[in-house]
Amino acid sequence: MLFISIILFIFCFESMIKQHMDQTLPLNGSRQISGGLVVLKKYYNTGAAGNFLQRHPGGMRGIHAIALCLAAAWAAALPKKGQAMAKVGLSFLVGGGGSNLHDRITKGHVVDYFRFGFGPLWFRRLVFNLADLFIFAGMALCGIALLKKDKE
């Protein structure tokens, strides 16, 4: 039940943030916060990271839905006891991925709303949302859990 709660919290919290940012930020407008380390910028992303597949939104929705189903199936297949790191990682993936997929289905794009104001130029150009960070963290936790399991 804890892991379902994590998924629902991420999905609902991110939905509220996206709605707020979508209503208050102008499209492609930006505002610096944290001394310029973070820049609020609304961007409608029809593709994946770096606009990959942006010209094929239907294909992107399909790939996204399949990946989300695979993560949910993997989570459901885990034993009830143990493997907490993998379960948390998969909860992050499903919560963040579910939020972004919901955007793709209901709006035709994902609402991204911040970028970082540091690092190389290619990195400063990428625009994220909180769901993306949960997806990255979930992938890292799942990877660590798999490496840890291989060593046992």
Side-chain angles (χ1 to χ4, degrees), residues 84-102:
M85 187 178 300
K87 289 176 184 175
V88 170
L90 288 166
S91 298
F92 284 7
L93 279 168
V94 173
S99 173
N100 283 347
L101 182 60
H102 180 263

Side-chain angles (χ1 to χ4, degrees), residues 111-138:
V111 178
D112 290 332
Y113 51 83
F114 74 89
R115 65 178 179 78
F116 295 103
F118 59 88
L121 183 60
W122 65 265
F123 179 71
R124 290 188 313 238
R125 288 183 177 161
L126 296 175
V127 185
F128 302 91
N129 58 40
L130 189 59
D132 296 334
L133 299 185
F134 275 107
I135 292 166
F136 298 143

Side-chain angles (χ1 to χ4, degrees), residues 51-73:
N51 292 322
F52 178 67
L53 289 177
Q54 83 175 42
R55 295 184 185 184
H56 305 284
M60 189 64 234
R61 274 192 303 275
I63 291 169
H64 196 146
I66 290 167
L68 188 61
C69 288
L70 289 173

